[in-house]
mmCIF file with all atom_site columns, all heavy atoms in Angstrom:
data_model
loop_
_atom_site.group_PDB
_atom_site.id
_atom_site.type_symbol
_atom_site.label_atom_id
_atom_site.label_alt_id
_atom_site.label_comp_id
_atom_site.label_asym_id
_atom_site.label_entity_id
_atom_site.label_seq_id
_atom_site.pdbx_PDB_ins_code
_atom_site.Cartn_x
_atom_site.Cartn_y
_atom_site.Cartn_z
_atom_site.occupancy
_atom_site.B_iso_or_equiv
_atom_site.pdbx_formal_charge
_atom_site.auth_seq_id
_atom_site.auth_comp_id
_atom_site.auth_asym_id
_atom_site.auth_atom_id
_atom_site.pdbx_PDB_model_num
ATOM 1   N N   . THR N 1 81 ? -8.365  49.916 -52.764 1.00 97.00 ? 81 THR N N   1
ATOM 2   C CA  . THR N 1 81 ? -7.780  49.119 -53.863 1.00 97.00 ? 81 THR N CA  1
ATOM 3   C C   . THR N 1 81 ? -8.603  47.897 -54.157 1.00 97.00 ? 81 THR N C   1
ATOM 4   O O   . THR N 1 81 ? -8.868  47.614 -55.261 1.00 97.00 ? 81 THR N O   1
ATOM 5   C CB  . THR N 1 81 ? -6.328  48.825 -53.569 1.00 97.00 ? 81 THR N CB  1
ATOM 6   O OG1 . THR N 1 81 ? -5.548  49.947 -53.441 1.00 97.00 ? 81 THR N OG1 1
ATOM 7   C CG2 . THR N 1 81 ? -5.742  48.014 -54.689 1.00 97.00 ? 81 THR N CG2 1
ATOM 8   N N   . PHE N 1 82 ? -9.001  47.166 -53.128 1.00 97.00 ? 82 PHE N N   1
ATOM 9   C CA  . PHE N 1 82 ? -9.802  45.916 -53.249 1.00 97.00 ? 82 PHE N CA  1
ATOM 10  C C   . PHE N 1 82 ? -11.134 46.284 -53.717 1.00 97.00 ? 82 PHE N C   1
ATOM 11  O O   . PHE N 1 82 ? -11.801 45.604 -54.634 1.00 97.00 ? 82 PHE N O   1
ATOM 12  C CB  . PHE N 1 82 ? -9.840  45.214 -51.996 1.00 97.00 ? 82 PHE N CB  1
ATOM 13  C CG  . PHE N 1 82 ? -8.615  44.447 -51.619 1.00 97.00 ? 82 PHE N CG  1
ATOM 14  C CD1 . PHE N 1 82 ? -7.885  44.656 -50.404 1.00 97.00 ? 82 PHE N CD1 1
ATOM 15  C CD2 . PHE N 1 82 ? -8.148  43.475 -52.521 1.00 97.00 ? 82 PHE N CD2 1
ATOM 16  C CE1 . PHE N 1 82 ? -6.807  43.967 -50.129 1.00 97.00 ? 82 PHE N CE1 1
ATOM 17  C CE2 . PHE N 1 82 ? -6.970  42.834 -52.170 1.00 97.00 ? 82 PHE N CE2 1
ATOM 18  C CZ  . PHE N 1 82 ? -6.346  42.920 -51.022 1.00 97.00 ? 82 PHE N CZ  1
ATOM 19  N N   . ARG N 1 83 ? -11.813 47.414 -53.156 1.00 96.00 ? 83 ARG N N   1
ATOM 20  C CA  . ARG N 1 83 ? -13.053 47.701 -53.756 1.00 96.00 ? 83 ARG N CA  1
ATOM 21  C C   . ARG N 1 83 ? -13.005 48.101 -55.285 1.00 96.00 ? 83 ARG N C   1
ATOM 22  O O   . ARG N 1 83 ? -14.075 47.793 -55.944 1.00 96.00 ? 83 ARG N O   1
ATOM 23  C CB  . ARG N 1 83 ? -13.572 49.020 -52.881 1.00 96.00 ? 83 ARG N CB  1
ATOM 24  C CG  . ARG N 1 83 ? -13.989 48.696 -51.509 1.00 96.00 ? 83 ARG N CG  1
ATOM 25  C CD  . ARG N 1 83 ? -14.511 49.923 -50.792 1.00 96.00 ? 83 ARG N CD  1
ATOM 26  N NE  . ARG N 1 83 ? -14.715 49.734 -49.318 1.00 96.00 ? 83 ARG N NE  1
ATOM 27  C CZ  . ARG N 1 83 ? -15.833 49.108 -48.892 1.00 96.00 ? 83 ARG N CZ  1
ATOM 28  N NH1 . ARG N 1 83 ? -16.773 48.709 -49.690 1.00 96.00 ? 83 ARG N NH1 1
ATOM 29  N NH2 . ARG N 1 83 ? -15.918 48.969 -47.562 1.00 96.00 ? 83 ARG N NH2 1
ATOM 30  N N   . GLN N 1 84 ? -12.114 48.837 -55.634 1.00 95.00 ? 84 GLN N N   1
ATOM 31  C CA  . GLN N 1 84 ? -11.902 49.162 -57.049 1.00 95.00 ? 84 GLN N CA  1
ATOM 32  C C   . GLN N 1 84 ? -11.825 47.932 -57.993 1.00 95.00 ? 84 GLN N C   1
ATOM 33  O O   . GLN N 1 84 ? -12.111 47.955 -59.064 1.00 95.00 ? 84 GLN N O   1
ATOM 34  C CB  . GLN N 1 84 ? -10.664 50.034 -57.235 1.00 95.00 ? 84 GLN N CB  1
ATOM 35  C CG  . GLN N 1 84 ? -10.801 51.505 -56.689 1.00 95.00 ? 84 GLN N CG  1
ATOM 36  C CD  . GLN N 1 84 ? -11.959 52.314 -57.413 1.00 95.00 ? 84 GLN N CD  1
ATOM 37  O OE1 . GLN N 1 84 ? -12.201 52.038 -58.624 1.00 95.00 ? 84 GLN N OE1 1
ATOM 38  N NE2 . GLN N 1 84 ? -12.513 53.218 -56.739 1.00 95.00 ? 84 GLN N NE2 1
ATOM 39  N N   . ASN N 1 85 ? -11.261 46.860 -57.323 1.00 93.00 ? 85 ASN N N   1
ATOM 40  C CA  . ASN N 1 85 ? -11.213 45.600 -58.032 1.00 93.00 ? 85 ASN N CA  1
ATOM 41  C C   . ASN N 1 85 ? -12.286 44.628 -57.816 1.00 93.00 ? 85 ASN N C   1
ATOM 42  O O   . ASN N 1 85 ? -12.131 43.353 -58.106 1.00 93.00 ? 85 ASN N O   1
ATOM 43  C CB  . ASN N 1 85 ? -9.834  44.917 -57.691 1.00 93.00 ? 85 ASN N CB  1
ATOM 44  C CG  . ASN N 1 85 ? -8.668  45.626 -58.366 1.00 93.00 ? 85 ASN N CG  1
ATOM 45  O OD1 . ASN N 1 85 ? -8.313  45.376 -59.560 1.00 93.00 ? 85 ASN N OD1 1
ATOM 46  N ND2 . ASN N 1 85 ? -8.004  46.617 -57.728 1.00 93.00 ? 85 ASN N ND2 1
ATOM 47  N N   . GLY N 1 86 ? -13.353 45.047 -57.116 1.00 95.00 ? 86 GLY N N   1
ATOM 48  C CA  . GLY N 1 86 ? -14.526 44.272 -56.981 1.00 95.00 ? 86 GLY N CA  1
ATOM 49  C C   . GLY N 1 86 ? -14.591 43.209 -55.827 1.00 95.00 ? 86 GLY N C   1
ATOM 50  O O   . GLY N 1 86 ? -15.371 42.329 -55.712 1.00 95.00 ? 86 GLY N O   1
ATOM 51  N N   . LEU N 1 87 ? -13.596 43.527 -54.826 1.00 95.00 ? 87 LEU N N   1
ATOM 52  C CA  . LEU N 1 87 ? -13.470 42.595 -53.731 1.00 95.00 ? 87 LEU N CA  1
ATOM 53  C C   . LEU N 1 87 ? -13.963 43.364 -52.489 1.00 95.00 ? 87 LEU N C   1
ATOM 54  O O   . LEU N 1 87 ? -13.368 44.188 -52.163 1.00 95.00 ? 87 LEU N O   1
ATOM 55  C CB  . LEU N 1 87 ? -12.022 42.082 -53.570 1.00 95.00 ? 87 LEU N CB  1
ATOM 56  C CG  . LEU N 1 87 ? -11.488 41.260 -54.666 1.00 95.00 ? 87 LEU N CG  1
ATOM 57  C CD1 . LEU N 1 87 ? -9.990  40.922 -54.367 1.00 95.00 ? 87 LEU N CD1 1
ATOM 58  C CD2 . LEU N 1 87 ? -12.288 40.015 -54.919 1.00 95.00 ? 87 LEU N CD2 1
ATOM 59  N N   . ASN N 1 88 ? -15.079 42.855 -51.927 1.00 91.00 ? 88 ASN N N   1
ATOM 60  C CA  . ASN N 1 88 ? -15.693 43.684 -50.823 1.00 91.00 ? 88 ASN N CA  1
ATOM 61  C C   . ASN N 1 88 ? -15.715 42.917 -49.549 1.00 91.00 ? 88 ASN N C   1
ATOM 62  O O   . ASN N 1 88 ? -16.283 43.499 -48.535 1.00 91.00 ? 88 ASN N O   1
ATOM 63  C CB  . ASN N 1 88 ? -17.067 44.044 -51.246 1.00 91.00 ? 88 ASN N CB  1
ATOM 64  C CG  . ASN N 1 88 ? -17.110 44.888 -52.423 1.00 91.00 ? 88 ASN N CG  1
ATOM 65  O OD1 . ASN N 1 88 ? -16.439 45.890 -52.502 1.00 91.00 ? 88 ASN N OD1 1
ATOM 66  N ND2 . ASN N 1 88 ? -17.818 44.422 -53.552 1.00 91.00 ? 88 ASN N ND2 1
ATOM 67  N N   . ASN N 1 89 ? -15.428 41.562 -49.414 1.00 93.00 ? 89 ASN N N   1
ATOM 68  C CA  . ASN N 1 89 ? -15.416 40.986 -48.212 1.00 93.00 ? 89 ASN N CA  1
ATOM 69  C C   . ASN N 1 89 ? -14.171 40.287 -47.878 1.00 93.00 ? 89 ASN N C   1
ATOM 70  O O   . ASN N 1 89 ? -13.367 39.990 -48.728 1.00 93.00 ? 89 ASN N O   1
ATOM 71  C CB  . ASN N 1 89 ? -16.679 39.962 -48.131 1.00 93.00 ? 89 ASN N CB  1
ATOM 72  C CG  . ASN N 1 89 ? -16.456 38.794 -49.054 1.00 93.00 ? 89 ASN N CG  1
ATOM 73  O OD1 . ASN N 1 89 ? -15.547 37.953 -48.807 1.00 93.00 ? 89 ASN N OD1 1
ATOM 74  N ND2 . ASN N 1 89 ? -17.359 38.708 -50.087 1.00 93.00 ? 89 ASN N ND2 1
ATOM 75  N N   . ALA N 1 90 ? -13.899 39.942 -46.582 1.00 96.00 ? 90 ALA N N   1
ATOM 76  C CA  . ALA N 1 90 ? -12.605 39.504 -46.075 1.00 96.00 ? 90 ALA N CA  1
ATOM 77  C C   . ALA N 1 90 ? -12.371 38.078 -46.526 1.00 96.00 ? 90 ALA N C   1
ATOM 78  O O   . ALA N 1 90 ? -11.191 37.900 -46.942 1.00 96.00 ? 90 ALA N O   1
ATOM 79  C CB  . ALA N 1 90 ? -12.704 39.458 -44.528 1.00 96.00 ? 90 ALA N CB  1
ATOM 80  N N   . ALA N 1 91 ? -13.358 37.234 -46.849 1.00 96.00 ? 91 ALA N N   1
ATOM 81  C CA  . ALA N 1 91 ? -13.007 35.903 -47.320 1.00 96.00 ? 91 ALA N CA  1
ATOM 82  C C   . ALA N 1 91 ? -12.441 35.972 -48.664 1.00 96.00 ? 91 ALA N C   1
ATOM 83  O O   . ALA N 1 91 ? -11.466 35.265 -49.043 1.00 96.00 ? 91 ALA N O   1
ATOM 84  C CB  . ALA N 1 91 ? -14.319 35.101 -47.329 1.00 96.00 ? 91 ALA N CB  1
ATOM 85  N N   . GLU N 1 92 ? -13.027 36.773 -49.643 1.00 96.00 ? 92 GLU N N   1
ATOM 86  C CA  . GLU N 1 92 ? -12.554 36.916 -50.921 1.00 96.00 ? 92 GLU N CA  1
ATOM 87  C C   . GLU N 1 92 ? -11.151 37.517 -50.915 1.00 96.00 ? 92 GLU N C   1
ATOM 88  O O   . GLU N 1 92 ? -10.236 37.099 -51.716 1.00 96.00 ? 92 GLU N O   1
ATOM 89  C CB  . GLU N 1 92 ? -13.489 37.882 -51.708 1.00 96.00 ? 92 GLU N CB  1
ATOM 90  C CG  . GLU N 1 92 ? -14.872 37.205 -52.048 1.00 96.00 ? 92 GLU N CG  1
ATOM 91  C CD  . GLU N 1 92 ? -15.788 38.278 -52.703 1.00 96.00 ? 92 GLU N CD  1
ATOM 92  O OE1 . GLU N 1 92 ? -15.548 39.550 -52.612 1.00 96.00 ? 92 GLU N OE1 1
ATOM 93  O OE2 . GLU N 1 92 ? -16.587 37.831 -53.496 1.00 96.00 ? 92 GLU N OE2 1
ATOM 94  N N   . ILE N 1 93 ? -10.927 38.529 -50.031 1.00 97.00 ? 93 ILE N N   1
ATOM 95  C CA  . ILE N 1 93 ? -9.672  39.197 -50.072 1.00 97.00 ? 93 ILE N CA  1
ATOM 96  C C   . ILE N 1 93 ? -8.594  38.329 -49.618 1.00 97.00 ? 93 ILE N C   1
ATOM 97  O O   . ILE N 1 93 ? -7.458  38.203 -50.097 1.00 97.00 ? 93 ILE N O   1
ATOM 98  C CB  . ILE N 1 93 ? -9.690  40.481 -49.262 1.00 97.00 ? 93 ILE N CB  1
ATOM 99  C CG1 . ILE N 1 93 ? -10.609 41.477 -49.972 1.00 97.00 ? 93 ILE N CG1 1
ATOM 100 C CG2 . ILE N 1 93 ? -8.328  40.983 -48.938 1.00 97.00 ? 93 ILE N CG2 1
ATOM 101 C CD1 . ILE N 1 93 ? -10.880 42.722 -49.114 1.00 97.00 ? 93 ILE N CD1 1
ATOM 102 N N   . GLN N 1 94 ? -8.906  37.445 -48.587 1.00 97.00 ? 94 GLN N N   1
ATOM 103 C CA  . GLN N 1 94 ? -7.819  36.568 -48.019 1.00 97.00 ? 94 GLN N CA  1
ATOM 104 C C   . GLN N 1 94 ? -7.574  35.464 -48.990 1.00 97.00 ? 94 GLN N C   1
ATOM 105 O O   . GLN N 1 94 ? -6.537  34.691 -48.769 1.00 97.00 ? 94 GLN N O   1
ATOM 106 C CB  . GLN N 1 94 ? -8.276  36.062 -46.704 1.00 97.00 ? 94 GLN N CB  1
ATOM 107 C CG  . GLN N 1 94 ? -8.176  37.161 -45.445 1.00 97.00 ? 94 GLN N CG  1
ATOM 108 C CD  . GLN N 1 94 ? -8.065  36.641 -44.099 1.00 97.00 ? 94 GLN N CD  1
ATOM 109 O OE1 . GLN N 1 94 ? -7.771  35.479 -43.943 1.00 97.00 ? 94 GLN N OE1 1
ATOM 110 N NE2 . GLN N 1 94 ? -8.256  37.443 -43.125 1.00 97.00 ? 94 GLN N NE2 1
ATOM 111 N N   . ASP N 1 95 ? -8.386  35.256 -49.970 1.00 97.00 ? 95 ASP N N   1
ATOM 112 C CA  . ASP N 1 95 ? -8.173  34.176 -50.922 1.00 97.00 ? 95 ASP N CA  1
ATOM 113 C C   . ASP N 1 95 ? -7.291  34.671 -52.096 1.00 97.00 ? 95 ASP N C   1
ATOM 114 O O   . ASP N 1 95 ? -6.720  33.866 -52.871 1.00 97.00 ? 95 ASP N O   1
ATOM 115 C CB  . ASP N 1 95 ? -9.542  33.704 -51.606 1.00 97.00 ? 95 ASP N CB  1
ATOM 116 C CG  . ASP N 1 95 ? -10.231 32.675 -50.574 1.00 97.00 ? 95 ASP N CG  1
ATOM 117 O OD1 . ASP N 1 95 ? -9.508  32.062 -49.773 1.00 97.00 ? 95 ASP N OD1 1
ATOM 118 O OD2 . ASP N 1 95 ? -11.338 32.472 -50.793 1.00 97.00 ? 95 ASP N OD2 1
#
Side-chain angles (χ1 to χ4, degrees):
T81 300
F82 284 124
R83 288 182 187 278
Q84 291 292 333
N85 286 275
L87 298 178
N88 298 304
N89 65 68
E92 292 176 333
I93 292 171
Q94 291 202 12
D95 280 341

